[in-house]
Amino acid sequence: GVLERSREQLLRQTCEAVLLGVLHPRTAVSLVLQVLSDAGSLLSCCLNAACMALLDAGLPLAALFCGVTCALQPDGAILLDPTARQEQEARAILTFAIASSDRRVLMATTKGSCSVEEMQQCLAAAQRAASTIFQFYRDSVRRRYSKC
Amino acid sequence: MAAERGTAAEALVGQVVLPGDLLLLPAHYDEDAEGERLRLSAGTAPQGRLLCGPGLRRSGAGLLVTKCGLLRHRPGGGGAYWVDSQQKRYVPVKGDHVIGIVTAKAGDVFRLDVGGSEPASLSYLAFEGATKRNRPNVQVGDLIYGQFVVANKDMEPEMVCIDSSGKSSGMGIIGQDGFLFKVSLGLIRKLLAPKCEIIQELSQLYPFELVLGMNGRIWVKAKTVQQTLIIVNILEACEYMTAEQRKQALAKLSGN
């Protein structure tokens, strides 16, 4: 459907921004994501899974990226990584893809309406949360290479 | 271990590095860029150029990591840094010895599948003792062990089965029977290291013939089909077993 297509486009833009395509001319990179269970924050989950898949495949990347979802509740509170129930009750859902170099924003998408200040606050919170996800990547890779 | 604006490369040797990490090189490598800088400690800085190996790219003053893995360093001859990473997909590199499967014969060249993004080409004259009258007997579906003479991202890879002096030195068509299977590239590098324990321990078990291709393909042949399959299973499992588990498995097999 249209929703899946738009998610595919967002993922593609994010991956193309970090992948070093110059090293593989005339080559197609095909990324397949299968949703086993959806408990909220699906897009940022797909982004994290895509980054780990690219890492595992050994494709050359300029930086890592991660996805963070923020839910803006009706009373103005920011909730990171919302569940499906919290997403439905929220006023706006914002998803950001953040790169590991300088925490710059690769992709931002919003569902619902929010003011510019609220978006900036969500962005700042997401950038802080991204550090936790990058640390998780590092620990996973470390565990994998500790067995060699 | 956050490397926000670059960490010294020597500090991270032997550690896990991730794409996006910036490695800073010691100051004396910037000699070529700034010719006026004086060398105060003559003779202690290494001579020669620094080699930037797989998984690293030059960026500004340092090296940008592009693959995840362990950072390695070789101090001899100017120094070399590279990233030791695990991967299953092969990218052709010049000089690598690989096992290819013949998929087509097109006039004077054979097309081989080497596991990369494009099929490699092999001329029929690139065998030892081959002339226009004396063609090698290669059929579609045969296995060939050869090396790359041309392998870069812009051109189709080309293979030959002779070395620079015209001798075959072990390359050519791989014989009948045997078993071909695929493993990850990291395991192949481990098996090709000098004095590899796995091969020595396996040779105590049964006599067998083994061909290792850098594209992740291994061809094994032992006396009986059962022995061949046992060796195949052990080699495939070696990737995930520690040394003790492997010794236990081999002891159980040689006891039977």
Side-chain angles (χ1 to χ4, degrees):
Chain A
V2 174
L3 198 54
E4 279 82 27
R5 287 267 170 255
S6 84
R7 274 196 218 119
E8 284 170 19
Q9 272 294 84
L10 295 169
L11 271 166
R12 198 159 82 107
Q13 280 168 13
T14 317
C15 293
E16 280 179 359
V18 291
L19 204 55
L20 287 170
V22 286
L23 294 175
H24 294 284
R26 303 178 310 283
T27 308
V29 177
S30 173
L31 183 69
V32 178
L33 292 163
Q34 178 76 39
V35 178
L36 294 175
S37 69
D38 179 7
S41 309
L42 180 62
L43 184 56
S44 53
C45 192
C46 291
L47 282 163
N48 294 333
C51 183
M52 298 215 91
L54 292 173
L55 258 186
D56 184 57
L59 283 164
L61 301 172
L64 296 174
F65 61 91
C66 74
V68 185
T69 306
C70 304
L72 256 184
Q73 289 179 315
D75 58 358
I78 298 175
L79 205 60
L80 285 178
D81 199 24
T83 61
R85 175 92 181 256
Q86 287 162 344
E87 278 184 349
Q88 271 172 348
E89 295 166 348
R91 183 162 40 104
I93 316 262
L94 299 94
T95 305
F96 300 103
I98 302 188
S100 62
S101 52
D102 301 340
R103 302 285 180 269
R104 56 194 174 98
V105 179
L106 296 172
M107 184 272 297
T109 182
T110 313
K111 182 172 145 193
S113 61
C114 63
S115 70
V116 177
E117 291 84 25
E118 282 165 343
M119 183 176 184
Q120 301 284 0
Q121 282 170 358
C122 286
L123 183 53
Q127 280 171 330
R128 277 196 298 274
S131 309
T132 321
I133 304 185
F134 291 134
Q135 190 55 41
F136 173 73
Y137 288 169
R138 207 171 277 274
D139 293 337
S140 310
V141 174
R142 211 171 269 156
R143 228 187 351 241
R144 184 191 187 195
Y145 283 92
S146 68
K147 294 205 193 121
C148 297
Chain B
M1 268 277 159
E4 300 298 53
R5 265 302 94 203
T7 343
E10 295 128 347
L12 288 175
V13 172
Q15 312 263 5
V16 162
V17 287
L18 289 179
D21 291 350
L22 196 64
L23 304 174
L24 297 172
L25 297 169
H28 49 251
Y29 286 120
D30 286 339
E31 284 265 325
D32 298 328
E34 305 173 28
E36 311 90 48
R37 187 181 302 188
L38 292 173
R39 294 249 293 268
L40 295 176
S41 55
T44 53
Q47 304 291 329
R49 290 171 178 251
L50 178 71
L51 197 64
C52 175
L56 295 170
R57 267 173 93 80
R58 279 201 186 272
S59 117
L63 300 172
L64 180 69
V65 179
T66 56
K67 289 193 191 180
C68 70
L70 297 163
L71 185 67
R72 302 273 188 222
H73 174 57
R74 187 192 69 204
Y81 283 100
W82 73 94
V83 178
D84 205 354
S85 68
Q86 300 273 38
Q87 214 180 300
K88 292 199 75 157
R89 190 163 251 286
Y90 176 67
V91 173
V93 170
K94 182 174 166 177
D96 266 3
H97 292 253
V98 294
I99 299 180
I101 306 175
V102 180
T103 53
K105 283 206 279 202
D108 290 341
V109 294
F110 306 113
R111 294 249 168 267
L112 299 169
D113 164 40
V114 289
S117 56
E118 282 176 304
S121 70
L122 171 65
S123 160
Y124 75 96
L125 289 171
F127 290 85
E128 184 176 6
T131 59
K132 290 207 175 134
R133 302 271 181 102
N134 181 16
R135 290 174 180 243
N137 184 16
V138 175
Q139 307 301 327
V140 171
D142 277 353
L143 297 176
I144 308 248
Y145 182 63
Q147 65 176 346
F148 285 115
V149 285
V150 170
N152 52 39
K153 60 183 168 62
D154 302 310
M155 293 163 59
E156 177 193 55
E158 287 175 28
M159 278 178 63
V160 289
C161 287
I162 49 174
D163 61 12
S164 48
S165 61
K167 299 276 169 25
S168 71
S169 56
M171 294 187 275
I173 309 172
I174 297 179
Q176 297 294 318
D177 306 329
F179 193 92
L180 178 79
F181 61 104
K182 192 170 185 331
V183 292
S184 79
L185 308 185
L187 179 63
I188 298 279
R189 287 200 296 262
K190 206 158 51 158
L191 291 170
L192 281 172
K195 296 202 203 59
C196 172
E197 298 174 341
I198 307 177
I199 308 264
Q200 283 171 353
E201 285 168 17
L202 273 177
S203 59
Q204 311 277 336
L205 199 57
Y206 311 118
F208 61 93
E209 280 178 66
L210 183 71
V211 179
L212 298 167
M214 294 288 291
N215 52 348
R217 294 186 180 161
I218 304 183
W219 179 86
V220 180
K221 180 173 166 185
K223 273 216 200 96
T224 68
V225 172
Q226 201 190 19
Q227 288 179 358
T228 309
L229 289 175
I230 291 176
I231 297 177
V232 165
N233 285 332
I234 294 181
L235 282 172
E236 274 179 343
C238 263
E239 202 165 352
Y240 304 111
M241 286 203 289
T242 61
E244 290 83 32
Q245 286 170 329
R246 195 179 61 232
K247 287 192 175 66
Q248 278 171 12
L250 285 169
K252 239 190 309 192
L253 279 168
S254 55
N256 287 353

